[in-house]
């Protein structure tokens, strides 16, 4: 997870870019920071998928169905092949702005979508008492992707700053003045 706040960023290059974003109206700055974060995080999805173990193909029985007379319907209960790799397909990235305009922060996270696949990821990450060994997928991912993410974020923030400045100059998304 990467977090950007309006003050106190450890990376000097990103802190300088955030100072430039602070000069813009907040509604424009927030929008472009979120999109820059999302574009940066999307580059990490293939890296996470590569580190995620692929499940094997399994055979599963379809549900049994009964007709109006109580007898089994012909064709119900068939065996089907279910493809593996659901955990890899569940890898996703998101970015969000949390807090008020004056002191909020943009965060971006790479992980697995909620649901059963997220629970499976937790079992693989930390292990279980019943015999699943911890695989430490996220720790390896952070080691592999942490450095390139900072460089990619700075590049995306520069591109988004130019787009935000063009949007402000065009008057496309004006600041609201309620009752002034």
């Amino acid at each position: 997870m990467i977090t950007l706040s309006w003050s106190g960023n450890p990376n000097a290059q990103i802190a300088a870019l955030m100072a430039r974003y602070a000069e813009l109206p907040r509604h424009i700055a927030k929008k472009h920071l979120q999109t820059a974060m999302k574009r940066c995080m999307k580059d990490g999805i293939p890296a996470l998928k590569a580190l995620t173990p692929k499940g094997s193909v399994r055979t599963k029985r379809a549900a049994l169905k009964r007709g109006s007379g109580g007898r089994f319907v012909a064709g119900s209960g068939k065996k089907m092949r279910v493809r593996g790799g659901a955990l890899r397909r569940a890898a996703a990235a998101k970015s969000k702005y949390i807090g008020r305009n004056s002191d909020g922060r943009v965060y971006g996270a790479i992980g697995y979508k909620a649901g059963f696949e997220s629970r499976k990821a937790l079992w693989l990450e930390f292990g279980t008492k019943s015999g699943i060994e911890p695989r430490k997928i996220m720790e390896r991912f952070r080691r592999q992707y942490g450095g390139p993410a900072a460089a990619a974020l700075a590049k995306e923030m520069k591109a988004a700053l130019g787009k935000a400045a063009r949007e402000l100059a065009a008057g496309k998304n004006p600041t609201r003045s309620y009752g002034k």
Side-chain angles (χ1 to χ4, degrees), residues 82-176:
V82 178
R83 73 180 201 168
L87 187 57
R88 283 187 181 193
R89 288 190 301 277
K94 71 175 182 176
S95 70
K96 194 170 183 179
Y97 189 87
I98 293 184
R100 300 177 301 183
N101 276 350
S102 60
D103 60 355
R105 56 186 39 123
V106 176
Y107 81 91
I110 298 176
Y112 301 98
K113 292 177 188 170
F116 185 73
E117 301 309 322
S118 179
R119 294 175 70 193
K120 191 189 309 181
L122 288 171
W123 298 332
L124 289 174
E125 179 69 23
F126 301 112
T128 60
K129 289 188 277 187
S130 61
I132 296 176
E133 294 295 320
R135 301 221 182 152
K136 309 234 186 277
I137 298 167
M138 295 310 283
E139 182 180 317
R140 290 186 293 153
F141 172 73
R142 271 188 244 115
R143 272 197 311 254
Q144 178 182 338
Y145 188 67
L153 180 60
K155 185 182 88 168
E156 292 293 344
M157 284 177 69
K158 285 178 193 172
L161 185 61
K163 291 177 184 176
R166 284 193 297 276
E167 181 181 334
L168 184 62
K172 184 177 172 184
N173 195 353
T175 304
R176 306 287 190 260

Side-chain angles (χ1 to χ4, degrees), residues 45-53 88 144:
I45 293 174
L48 181 60
K49 284 183 178 184
L51 292 171
T52 304
R88 283 187 181 193
Q144 178 182 338

Side-chain angles (χ1 to χ4, degrees), residues 3-11 14-16 18-19 22 26 97 102-106:
T3 306
L4 298 174
S5 60
W6 294 108
S7 62
N9 291 303
N11 188 327
I14 291 177
M18 285 300 289
R26 282 292 156 100
Y97 189 87
S102 60
D103 60 355
R105 56 186 39 123
V106 176

